[in-house]
Amino acid sequence: MRTFETFGRSFLLPVSVLPAAGILKGIGSAFTNKGTIAMHPWMADKTLQLIMGFISMLGGVAFKNLPVIFAVGIAVGLAKQEKGSAALSGLLGFLVLHNTLNYLLKVSGTLVNMAKDPTGALLAQHMQTTVLGIQTMDLNVFGGIITGVIVYLVHKKAIKMKVPQVLGFFSGPRLVPILTIPVMAVVALVFFVIWPIIQQGINELSVAILRSGYFGTLGYGIVERLLLPFGLHHGLNWPIRTTELGGIFTIGGKQYAGTISAYMASLGTNGAIDPMITRFSSGKFIYNMFGLPGAALAMYTCAKPQNKKTVGSLLLAAALTAFLTGITEPIEFTFLFVAPALYVIHAVLAGFTLLATNLCGAAFLTPTGHGLINYIIYGVLQGTRTHWWLLPIIGVICFFAYFAVFTFVIKKFDFKTPGREEDPSTIALHGKKETRQKLGVKSIKDEMEGSSNKELTLHDQALALIDAHGGPDNITNVNACITRLRINVKDESLVDKDLIVNELKAMGFAKSGMQMQSIYGGRANQLKVEIREILGMVE
């Protein structure tokens, strides 16, 4: 579970650009779609089309380059330190991977002649594509994900690797991109041999997910909500949205992997949008905008009369937040805090909401944020082909279903939802942190925050380093390079190397004559300045 959560959270950085890019793409596509222009002739204005075409192009940049964005983003997201080195290595590793594959395709005689393939049919047939102008094997977003993970593993080892003193310049963060080149070349060689087999397996799994049909939609909706309290839902969501695991769809004669790329490509066509592309997304709009506000109304109705004024304002704010932006945590974590059984009921209702929405043929999707704002951009503005009018119809039913079920269960089992407590001063909505603490659930983020709280402040660490080097009287000079804190001493026997490495968080320790070198990465210069200030050394 820890590995799954870590992997899932690493997706957050590369996908953080998608909401903004998606809005640009959605607005631009809405005004440049030929079907929409036919219904609204005023949109055919050349200046408007030029501007909207430009906006659509800007939004499409991110979606067309998802593999390289993931290569860099995942490497940075996983790296604990020296993230700049991880980013550079992620980009370099991605380029090495695909240039090596291009070379192997050439020497093996299997590189498709693009001059004889104007439609791109042969490229797709031979599982080849072009990435950043490089003709290579079609690894899709998986290529970026794999690159990011491997670069992270190289970064993790290389950042602390000791090198001979003569090669000291190439140690630490500088060593990471150097080692990335041969490692990714070997990875490319392995992929050249095994990827066709892996791709076949992925394709079959993708087909299985698509063939799971409505049962798969129901199961996804339930499981995805149940994973949220543990912070594990990202590991399910983003592979579905960005890789072949979400399905492979043919749109305009081209194949697109993952639900986001397929939907964005669909917005640029005049045809109908396949509801199977949006089946994991459309229903989320409905239970966010209608279902959870129904649950909020149920909690308000069940509150004690004297508490309704107080609890009403809290629940109204939470319900409006869910409706407008799709941020549901204030409501979800509140009834998870007071009664986990209510959250399980919510997960089941959410699954059936996704199923019902898919059955009705709704076809609107967003990269993230299932609220009114994105519904207008990705649903209403895209015209009737999204069947956007289904949302208020199904939404009203969903609202009353949530309201009726929650009202019955709260009263039946006397759950102490907000406003039903004995002490009115305790009325409050509950957030992630306190809910997880009550349930004994710890996420990676919680552990990281806990460990960061235990770290020494810069000043305390500087004081401890002075003591570890034999005190102020033993120190003659303090300096730093990019990653190393360099402290010259009079008597090296007074220097406590073990303390510096084990307790004062140095990533490594070396000495050159009477100069003690402690590796602190980007913190080295900060420590130098702090120590010099404490010792009264003037620059």
Side-chain angles (χ1 to χ4, degrees):
M1 289 178 66
R2 180 183 176 88
T3 302
F4 188 64
E5 183 186 357
T6 302
F7 178 69
R9 288 186 63 81
S10 72
F11 277 73
L12 296 181
L13 178 61
V15 302
S16 62
V17 70
L18 298 187
I23 290 172
L24 292 173
K25 180 71 175 176
I27 294 175
S29 298
F31 283 87
T32 57
N33 183 271
K34 293 181 180 178
T36 308
I37 294 173
M39 290 188 293
H40 307 286
W42 61 270
M43 289 187 181
D45 179 77
K46 289 184 178 180
T47 302
L48 178 63
Q49 287 298 301
L50 181 65
I51 294 171
M52 290 301 166
F54 179 70
I55 291 174
S56 180
M57 177 276 297
L58 289 179
V61 170
F63 295 102
K64 289 178 181 177
N65 294 285
L66 280 179
V68 68
I69 291 173
F70 272 80
V72 176
I74 287 181
V76 173
L78 289 172
K80 300 294 189 299
Q81 55 190 333
E82 296 293 351
K83 291 180 179 287
S85 173
L88 174 62
S89 301
L91 177 59
L92 181 61
F94 186 80
L95 294 173
V96 170
L97 172 68
H98 287 291
N99 276 283
T100 303
L101 288 174
N102 174 269
Y103 176 80
L104 294 172
L105 288 170
K106 283 180 181 178
V107 298
S108 65
T110 54
L111 190 71
V112 172
N113 187 343
M114 293 182 63
K116 298 179 181 179
D117 184 34
T119 63
L122 281 176
L123 277 177
Q125 183 181 338
H126 289 81
M127 291 189 296
Q128 295 180 23
T129 187
T130 56
V131 178
L132 300 179
I134 307 164
Q135 188 176 338
T136 178
M137 295 179 73
D138 190 2
L139 308 183
N140 211 287
V141 175
F142 275 115
I145 294 172
I146 292 163
T147 299
V149 171
I150 292 175
V151 167
Y152 158 67
L153 295 174
V154 173
H155 180 273
K156 185 178 179 181
K157 294 291 183 183
I159 202 77
K160 298 180 180 179
M161 194 177 292
K162 293 182 179 180
V163 299
Q165 187 68 28
V166 69
L167 299 175
F169 176 79
F170 299 104
S171 62
R174 298 185 187 92
L175 185 60
V176 182
I178 295 172
L179 292 184
T180 295
I181 295 174
V183 170
M184 289 308 301
V186 173
V187 170
L189 182 59
V190 173
F191 265 72
F192 182 73
V193 177
I194 69 170
W195 184 253
I197 302 170
I198 295 175
Q199 182 68 61
Q200 184 62 32
I202 292 172
N203 290 346
E204 290 177 3
L205 181 58
S206 170
V207 170
I209 291 174
L210 289 174
R211 286 180 177 173
S212 67
Y214 301 125
F215 177 78
T217 305
L218 172 65
Y220 171 86
I222 296 173
V223 171
E224 193 264 348
R225 286 295 92 182
L226 291 177
L227 290 176
L228 183 141
F230 303 93
L232 300 176
H233 56 304
H234 301 300
L236 176 66
N237 283 335
W238 290 111
I240 290 287
R241 295 176 185 178
T242 59
T243 74
E244 285 91 337
L245 294 178
I248 300 174
F249 305 91
T250 302
I251 300 161
K254 293 183 179 181
Q255 286 190 335
Y256 295 87
T259 58
I260 292 179
S261 294
Y263 188 72
M264 292 303 164
S266 297
L267 295 184
T269 67
N270 298 322
I273 297 173
D274 183 358
M276 293 306 288
I277 296 174
T278 65
R279 64 179 174 142
F280 299 131
S281 179
S282 297
K284 289 185 178 182
F285 283 101
I286 292 175
Y287 70 67
N288 283 359
M289 295 172 63
F290 292 91
L292 288 172
L297 180 61
M299 289 190 282
Y300 170 78
T301 303
C302 294
K304 294 178 179 180
Q306 65 270 27
N307 295 333
K308 283 190 174 182
K309 183 176 181 180
T310 301
V311 78
S313 59
L314 291 173
L315 290 172
L316 178 62
L320 285 175
T321 300
F323 182 82
L324 293 172
T325 67
I327 297 174
T328 60
E329 290 168 358
I331 297 179
E332 287 180 311
F333 278 92
T334 291
F335 53 71
L336 175 62
F337 182 88
V338 298
L342 284 176
Y343 190 86
V344 175
I345 292 170
H346 161 52
V348 174
L349 289 173
F352 277 102
T353 301
L354 258 67
L355 173 60
T357 311
N358 188 209
L359 280 167
C360 293
F364 33 85
L365 174 150
T366 173
T368 186
H370 297 79
L372 177 65
I373 298 171
N374 280 341
Y375 165 67
I376 292 173
I377 293 170
Y378 296 104
V380 178
L381 289 180
Q382 305 307 322
T384 56
R385 60 203 180 119
T386 64
H387 299 171
W388 57 265
W389 62 84
L390 290 171
L391 181 136
I393 297 172
I394 304 172
V396 170
I397 299 171
C398 181
F399 177 88
F400 285 108
Y402 265 81
F403 174 76
V405 171
F406 270 68
T407 300
F408 171 78
V409 173
I410 290 170
K411 290 182 176 180
K412 175 72 175 175
F413 298 98
D414 193 25
F415 288 136
K416 300 301 181 184
T417 50
R420 291 175 63 82
E421 305 96 330
E422 298 299 329
D423 183 2
S425 65
T426 62
I427 295 175
L429 299 182
H430 302 282
K432 283 183 188 178
K433 192 170 183 179
E434 59 178 324
T435 302
R436 285 173 172 163
Q437 285 176 347
K438 180 183 178 182
L439 299 177
V441 173
K442 269 196 172 184
S443 68
I444 294 291
K445 185 177 180 181
D446 296 331
E447 292 181 7
M448 288 172 63
E449 288 177 350
S451 63
S452 65
N453 290 336
K454 298 175 185 177
E455 289 182 1
L456 292 172
T457 64
L458 181 67
H459 184 73
D460 288 342
Q461 192 175 15
L463 287 172
L465 280 167
I466 292 172
D467 290 338
H469 284 81
D473 294 336
N474 196 45
I475 297 174
T476 59
N477 192 30
V478 180
N479 216 318
C481 62
I482 296 175
T483 62
R484 295 191 180 211
L485 174 66
R486 303 172 185 269
I487 298 180
N488 291 61
V489 298
K490 299 174 184 176
D491 184 354
E492 63 176 300
S493 66
L494 299 178
V495 178
D496 192 341
K497 171 188 172 183
D498 293 335
L499 176 66
I500 294 169
V501 173
N502 296 328
E503 295 185 28
L504 300 182
K505 310 296 185 183
M507 292 174 282
F509 183 88
K511 62 179 182 177
S512 176
M514 301 302 285
Q515 185 182 81
M516 307 297 115
Q517 301 176 359
S518 304
I519 301 174
Y520 279 102
R523 196 174 174 86
N525 196 63
Q526 295 175 311
L527 287 167
K528 178 202 79 170
V529 173
E530 189 70 18
I531 292 171
R532 289 182 68 90
E533 186 172 329
I534 292 171
L535 297 178
M537 294 182 176
V538 181
E539 291 285 354

